[in-house]
Amino acid sequence: MTARADTTTWSTGLPVLKGDLLFHDDARRSVATDLGNVVRREPQAVLRPRSPGDVAAMITFCRERGITVAARGQAHTTNGQALTDGLVIECRSLDEINFTGPYTVEVGSGVLWKDLAAAAFERTPRLTPPVLTGYTGLTVGGTLSMGGVGGIVGGLRTGLQVDHVRELEVVTGTGSVERCSPEHGSDLFKAVLGGLGQCGVITKAVLALVPAKERARTYALDYTSNPAFFRDLRTAIARPGIDHVYAEVYPPGAPATHRLLATVLYDPSHAPDDRSVTEGLSGETTVEDSTYLDYVFSIDLLIDELRATAGWDRLLKPWYDVWIPGESIEEYLAEIHPSLTSEDLGPYGAVLIYPQRRDLVGGPYPRLPEPDGSDWAFVLDINTVAETVDTDRRFFDRMLDRNGGLFARARGEYGAVLYPIGSVRFTAEDWREHFGQAWPAFRRAKACFDPDGILAPGPGIFDGS
Ligand SMILES: Cc1cc2nc3c(=O)[nH]c(=O)nc-3n(C[C@H](O)[C@H](O)[C@H](O)COP(=O)(O)OP(=O)(O)OC[C@H]3O[C@@H](n4cnc5c(N)ncnc54)[C@H](O)[C@@H]3O)c2cc1C
């Protein structure tokens, strides 16, 4: 099913488009890599669509000529997931936000979550997406294609971002524009959410919104012991008054090796009682209080600063991201923590843990670990960032070897599953294992919605099929 990238000329048969189709070097080079900065694939052309019709017309054109197509959001994946040497569709130009009901919004797939969060908060009553990623400068289409873990909002009492989608508009690999939902076209709907762009390009999404609280109070608790940290983590995620929890882990020898961040969202008329929020938690605590949006954009501020001062976009980022079963996270972290060095993080990196309540995750994708009796699964990220923009490429290779070793052990020993936003070398056989019992259905969906295998070649899921 792999498409041949042939050398067919682009000079005949091009459709009339509302948006732009660009062939010049600047446009092609600007989308030739991603946030990881290692995989490089220069496309032959770049589409900046202005309508689903543009996407459909160009997919039809490419399909007839065996040209591969990759949708691109912000390309904040790190191993070439959004790259192709065929046609790149830059979805950012699909940027409309329309509030269609009291608690629903229809957005173009190129809308950034931060723009949606800001627009929703301005509504009366104030609204918010129920799940927001830690960094919100990511596109709706990009995170819905991966899963969308609640890095700053959601996770304890919500599913993933894909679990809060009401309807999608998708252009399939046959060039057909489809509306799909759990009720109509559910095969396509399921295959596209968390489906790594394999079965269609999302052009619009109808998303659920929920009432937003005005403020956020975050309790940061520091630890030097793995068991004490996990005791408190498990208490915090089960505590009804706490709305969000994530954790940072630092290499051994740091003054604090684990930090728990627990946040309560509230309206000023119901300010949290600090003592009951932290009751029984042993870590040394600092409290930070802010408006809801300042809280939501707190990671964005850090990244913006690194963009301005450290050349963030050009630094190598060999990221390792896995789902660990709920019962195993403590043992797994205890195993890998002693081996973490300052090189594993670099001056701008982070090791992060995100809890996700399992019963609120509904779809077949993204893949989660097999149930282990725990109510929880955890995403663990080692977000390694190189020190300077001149860092040797061998650093990336070394880190890819590290990621491969870590993942083989995590999968073999703990039943971990890749969260495929980062940089782990994966063969077609690895992908088959990754999808597990869902593989036949995923393969069938690919054959149905992208029969010529032109979409999203980056991860190599169907290589050799
Ligand atoms: C600082 C930082 C913090 C992050 N925090 C979180 C977090 O809290 N939770 C989390 O889940 N992730 C997080 N991520 C990872 C992020 O979710 C993924 O990298 C996500 O894919 C990025 O969105 P994007 O717009 O850059 O997508 P891209 O990287 O552009 O695309 C991702 C994949 O989806 C495909 N795709 C893109 N748009 C479409 C579309 N419209 N239709 C079909 N396929 C499409 C691409 O071809 C590619 O395969 C973080 C990343 C960074 C850099």
Side-chain angles (χ1 to χ4, degrees):
M1 277 202 288
T2 314
R4 285 182 319 279
D6 66 27
T7 52
T8 307
T9 173
W10 292 71
S11 59
T12 55
L14 277 175
V16 177
L17 302 168
K18 289 188 180 151
D20 299 313
L21 184 65
L22 306 169
F23 296 95
H24 59 80
D25 289 352
D26 284 353
R28 294 187 301 109
R29 281 187 198 137
S30 70
V31 296
T33 191
D34 58 21
L35 197 71
N37 281 305
V38 161
V39 182
R40 206 184 150 74
R41 253 176 228 138
E42 207 166 287
Q44 297 166 46
V46 178
L47 173 66
R48 292 186 186 149
R50 278 282 157 213
S51 70
D54 284 355
V55 176
M58 283 312 301
I59 287 183
T60 302
F61 176 91
C62 288
R63 184 184 179 205
E64 284 163 0
R65 290 158 181 80
I67 296 168
T68 55
V69 177
R72 180 182 177 100
Q74 291 289 78
H76 275 18
T77 31
T78 65
N79 204 30
Q81 286 88 333
L83 308 183
T84 176
D85 51 17
L87 174 74
V88 164
I89 301 178
E90 277 199 283
C91 294
R92 277 289 287 127
S93 49
L94 301 173
D95 58 359
E96 278 189 31
I97 300 179
N98 290 309
F99 292 91
T100 49
Y103 293 102
T104 47
V105 64
E106 182 174 273
V107 294
S109 60
V111 166
L112 300 182
W113 286 99
K114 67 175 175 186
D115 294 334
L116 175 57
F121 199 76
E122 275 180 18
R123 307 285 293 174
T124 310
R126 278 184 294 274
L127 298 173
T128 178
V131 186
L132 285 166
T133 46
Y135 176 61
T136 61
L138 305 168
T139 64
V140 167
T143 68
L144 293 187
S145 301
M146 309 311 280
V149 174
I152 199 86
V153 174
L156 302 188
R157 276 180 284 285
T158 71
L160 304 167
Q161 286 182 327
V162 289
D163 293 301
H164 302 274
V165 180
R166 297 277 184 263
E167 194 180 357
L168 292 172
E169 181 186 81
V170 176
V171 181
T172 68
T174 63
S176 164
V177 183
E178 307 281 348
R179 298 284 299 199
C180 57
S181 68
E183 292 79 34
H184 302 285
S186 63
D187 285 354
L188 180 60
F189 188 74
K190 280 191 218 151
V192 167
L193 291 175
L196 298 143
Q198 295 302 310
C199 292
V201 175
I202 301 169
T203 45
K204 284 183 192 149
V206 179
L207 306 173
L209 299 171
V210 294
K213 294 285 197 306
E214 230 176 278
R215 299 193 64 82
R217 189 171 295 177
T218 297
Y219 303 80
L221 297 103
D222 285 345
Y223 303 84
T224 51
S225 132
N226 202 52
F229 162 73
F230 275 104
R231 226 173 13 249
D232 283 8
L233 176 72
R234 292 197 187 272
T235 303
I237 59 181
R239 184 156 284 173
I242 295 177
D243 295 296
H244 187 264
V245 168
Y246 78 101
E248 297 178 353
V249 182
Y250 312 103
T257 47
H258 305 64
R259 171 169 288 181
L260 181 64
L261 295 112
T263 297
V264 178
L265 306 175
Y266 71 98
D267 288 323
S269 54
H270 292 86
D273 169 26
D274 296 349
R275 256 199 301 186
S276 34
V277 175
T278 56
E279 193 182 350
L281 304 180
S282 64
E284 185 160 330
T285 312
T286 49
V287 182
E288 201 170 312
D289 202 275
S290 68
T291 66
Y292 179 69
L293 285 187
D294 282 349
Y295 165 71
V296 162
F297 299 145
S298 53
I299 310 290
D300 298 39
L301 267 187
L302 293 177
I303 300 291
D304 288 348
E305 196 177 313
L306 293 178
R307 280 212 154 93
T309 58
W312 167 257
D313 287 309
R314 289 186 297 137
L315 295 168
L316 301 179
K317 300 178 200 68
W319 287 10
Y320 172 73
D321 313 273
V322 280
W323 285 100
I324 306 288
E327 291 294 330
S328 311
I329 182 74
E330 178 166 358
E331 200 183 330
Y332 182 60
L333 191 68
E335 178 182 312
I336 63 167
H337 190 233
S339 70
L340 282 182
T341 65
S342 52
E343 190 192 42
D344 284 309
L345 271 75
Y348 316 115
V351 176
L352 300 162
I353 296 176
Y354 298 103
Q356 173 60 52
R357 199 162 168 109
R358 286 197 71 123
D359 59 358
L360 300 172
V361 179
Y365 320 116
R367 300 303 292 158
L368 257 57
E370 288 298 314
D372 64 343
S374 167
D375 291 337
W376 301 93
F378 294 85
V379 168
L380 180 130
D381 302 297
I382 304 179
N383 288 350
T384 306
V385 182
E387 197 163 344
T388 69
V389 292
D390 307 318
T391 303
D392 201 287
R393 155 81 206 235
R394 277 173 299 188
F395 163 81
F396 198 91
D397 292 336
R398 214 164 49 245
M399 288 298 155
L400 277 194
D401 290 346
R402 176 203 67 180
N403 291 353
L406 282 172
F407 184 66
R409 167 103 186 135
R411 179 165 62 183
E413 196 60 27
Y414 297 96
V417 169
L418 194 72
Y419 186 38
I421 57 176
S423 305
V424 175
R425 298 183 189 106
F426 245 42
T427 63
E429 189 48 45
D430 288 319
W431 281 115
R432 235 155 274 156
E433 192 174 330
H434 171 85
F435 282 96
Q437 58 193 20
W439 175 251
F442 194 62
R443 201 175 188 289
R444 260 196 319 277
K446 179 76 171 173
C448 175
F449 299 116
D450 181 23
D452 293 312
I454 60 168
L455 295 180
I461 298 172
F462 293 95
D463 280 2
S465 296

